[in-house]
Amino acid sequence: MLEPAIEAMSREKLRAEQERLLRVQIERCAHSSALYRAKLESVGAEPGDVRTLDDLSRLPVVTKEELREDQFVQPPFGTFAVADHAAFREVHPSTGTTGTPVITIWSEADVEAITKITARTLWQFGVRPGDVIQNAFAYGLWVAGLSCHYAGSRLGCLIVPTGAAVPTQRQIDFLQAVRSTVLLATPSYALHIAEGLLGRGIDAEGLSLRLGCFGGEAGAENPSTRAKLEAGLGIDAFDYYGLAEVGPTFASECEAKAGIHFAEDYVAVECLDPETREPVPEGALGVLVFTHLTREATPMIRYWSNDYARLSTEQCACGRTHIRAVGGIVGRHDDLVVYKGAKFYPSQVEKVVRSFPELSDEFRIEVDAGGGMLVERCTVVCELRAGTAEVERRVLRALRAELGVTPALRLEPIGSLERFAFKAQRLVRL
């Protein structure tokens, strides 16, 4: 472990430290943020009423829509910024893939905390001093690239800052030329790089790559996708998670691959029922809600992530005690599809598609334009490498078994679907 005194802290001691930090954070937010003062007042609470993690449930959640509205009414940073403007150092908006970006601020202390936490996540899956990290996470306004760059440098690694804008063939050139040992990217882009290696006749085993960690979208936690990443790149593949508003990179798998570890000294993690917004039992599926314990400039208090997961506080085989999302992130609430009474996520379709060698790694799910989660028509679109009508029948049977319903299936020639360097858009509303 990079910081064993923190990572293997007993649950009792960890909780006590979280609650100490929480009391300070709530007092700061109540004093300096109109948005959070209003949240407390809406339930008749004073800052001193929130003293334990259980007390958090008294407060309303904060949604991305609220933050957007707050910044629209009070531009440019809204009223949820807590630190004085003189402490601001970096501006980082959310990706904007689901609406107007929300601007968050990093103070100098926040940059230090994010670098420290991200360094821990890199160490968890095996990065060590002297590694050559090819960082194909996007730079610029998508902050995973920047946080991993800072953290890799902190660990004593050589950083190859290709980002996501460098063409795939150039990514491959750098893998060979500088002998990169670690690749960071979205799962979709990593699979596209693997496809490029195959197209150029390059044996992945001849590269120096040994590790890859993949986030920004679902994928690496999926057994079929993980297997393709590992075979196509000749690596050990790990899952990564973060949110621009919260992390941006604050949870990764360890070498046990038993779920992504959250940095609980940085955030308090809740898992709530999407309808009642009450806590679900440990191991049950719910929406993740995050509360910053140490963020200085723009802390999130009970931020509703829209991401579904199953949490476990059981100590991991690696010895770490911080809470884990077993199986990674199941899906986003916005991506839930309800078709003929069955509910499923794009990650379930991914699991099926990438288990067939006759299909490429690319796919999309086309649904009608009726709006909302309930759809009348649903078509899974894949690329066929080789095969006959028998492949189509097998894929449909596998989709039925996984989803509980049989969508329409359309097989296209290789190269028909768009390749993504950034977040892949799997669900398309026609």
Side-chain angles (χ1 to χ4, degrees):
M1 300 179 197
L2 185 62
E3 299 179 280
I6 297 173
E7 296 174 75
M9 188 182 293
S10 72
R11 294 295 305 172
E12 294 76 15
K13 188 175 179 180
L14 177 60
R15 185 183 180 94
E17 178 62 11
Q18 286 182 296
E19 291 179 344
R20 182 187 70 79
L21 295 170
L22 176 65
R23 290 190 286 272
V24 174
Q25 187 71 285
I26 294 295
E27 184 66 40
R28 291 182 67 243
C29 290
H31 180 265
S32 303
S33 165
L35 184 144
Y36 289 125
R37 275 198 304 274
K39 288 284 184 182
L40 286 163
E41 291 168 1
S42 70
V43 293
E46 298 287 337
D49 295 331
V50 183
R51 302 191 59 79
T52 70
L53 294 178
D54 292 337
D55 293 334
L56 272 175
S57 62
R58 293 189 59 182
L59 303 180
V61 299
V62 173
T63 66
K64 181 175 282 191
E65 290 71 24
E66 285 181 277
L67 299 179
R68 286 193 186 111
E69 178 65 20
D70 185 52
Q71 290 186 336
F72 177 77
V73 174
Q74 295 285 341
F77 304 130
T79 67
F80 63 90
V82 174
D84 186 89
H85 282 213
F88 292 1
R89 290 295 178 270
E90 298 184 16
V91 171
H92 292 293
S94 60
T95 59
T97 53
T98 58
T100 305
V102 171
I103 296 173
T104 57
I105 306 294
W106 295 0
S107 68
E108 188 170 337
D110 292 331
V111 173
E112 173 60 27
I114 287 164
T115 300
K116 176 182 173 182
I117 294 301
T118 302
R120 193 191 300 169
T121 64
L122 297 180
W123 192 277
Q124 276 176 181
F125 66 85
V127 174
R128 295 295 182 268
D131 268 317
V132 180
I133 300 177
Q134 187 154 324
N135 188 2
F137 281 139
Y139 279 73
L141 296 179
W142 194 53
V143 288
L146 198 55
S147 62
C148 289
H149 187 116
Y150 290 164
S153 295
R154 175 69 57 87
L155 291 177
C157 301
L158 175 63
I159 311 298
V160 188
T162 53
V166 171
T168 302
Q169 295 306 319
R170 290 288 287 149
Q171 296 278 3
I172 294 172
D173 292 342
F174 277 110
L175 287 175
Q176 293 180 302
V178 301
R179 300 180 181 178
S180 304
T181 59
V182 179
L183 177 66
L184 304 177
T186 63
S188 298
Y189 195 28
L191 288 170
H192 190 30
I193 292 171
E195 191 175 58
L197 288 171
L198 186 65
R200 285 173 58 171
I202 298 172
D203 184 359
E205 295 300 325
L207 299 175
S208 298
L209 276 181
R210 63 185 184 86
L211 298 173
C213 202
F214 308 103
E217 62 186 20
E221 80 291 344
N222 191 309
S224 55
T225 298
R226 192 195 298 269
K228 287 202 168 190
L229 287 165
E230 294 185 335
L233 295 168
I235 58 168
D236 214 3
F238 297 87
D239 192 16
Y240 213 173
Y241 177 72
L243 291 169
E245 298 84 0
V246 179
T249 39
F250 61 104
S252 71
E253 286 185 309
C254 65
E255 292 176 337
K257 298 183 181 178
I260 51 175
H261 292 268
F262 292 98
E264 285 192 276
D265 55 319
Y266 179 68
V267 288
V269 186
E270 301 174 81
C271 195
L272 306 185
D273 183 284
E275 302 300 328
T276 66
R277 298 196 171 179
E278 294 294 324
V280 300
E282 185 165 324
L285 188 65
V287 176
L288 296 176
V289 173
F290 300 108
T291 295
H292 277 127
L293 299 173
T294 61
R295 176 65 73 87
E296 182 179 44
T298 49
M300 298 292 131
I301 305 298
R302 301 203 84 206
Y303 181 72
W304 184 266
S305 72
N306 256 353
D307 290 331
Y308 281 88
R310 295 179 173 87
L311 297 182
S312 172
T313 57
E314 182 180 353
Q315 183 170 330
C316 181
C318 71
R320 293 176 175 86
T321 55
H322 291 216
I323 204 165
R324 291 174 289 136
V326 179
I329 304 301
V330 175
R332 287 189 63 79
H333 184 71
D334 296 341
D335 290 339
L336 177 66
V337 175
V338 182
Y339 177 59
K340 293 184 177 180
K343 298 180 180 179
F344 63 89
Y345 293 95
S347 60
Q348 293 172 264
V349 175
E350 174 190 349
K351 178 181 177 182
V352 172
V353 171
R354 291 179 176 166
S355 68
F356 282 85
E358 298 92 341
L359 303 178
S360 82
D361 300 321
E362 296 301 321
F363 70 96
R364 70 170 178 246
I365 306 164
E366 296 178 350
V367 298
D368 66 349
M373 295 179 292
L374 188 63
V375 301
E376 295 181 2
R377 291 176 296 279
C378 178
T379 303
V380 174
V381 185
C382 310
E383 294 180 343
L384 182 64
R385 294 185 189 277
T388 62
E390 176 58 27
V391 176
E392 183 173 356
R393 288 192 291 270
R394 286 167 48 220
V395 173
L396 284 170
R397 284 199 300 269
L399 287 170
R400 172 73 186 186
E402 176 65 28
L403 309 180
V405 68
T406 307
L409 177 64
R410 187 169 78 248
L411 299 178
E412 301 279 5
I414 290 291
S416 300
L417 300 181
E418 181 181 358
R419 268 57 175 168
F420 295 90
F422 191 48
K423 296 185 178 184
Q425 302 300 307
R426 300 299 180 193
L427 186 62
V428 179
R429 301 188 183 276
L430 302 178

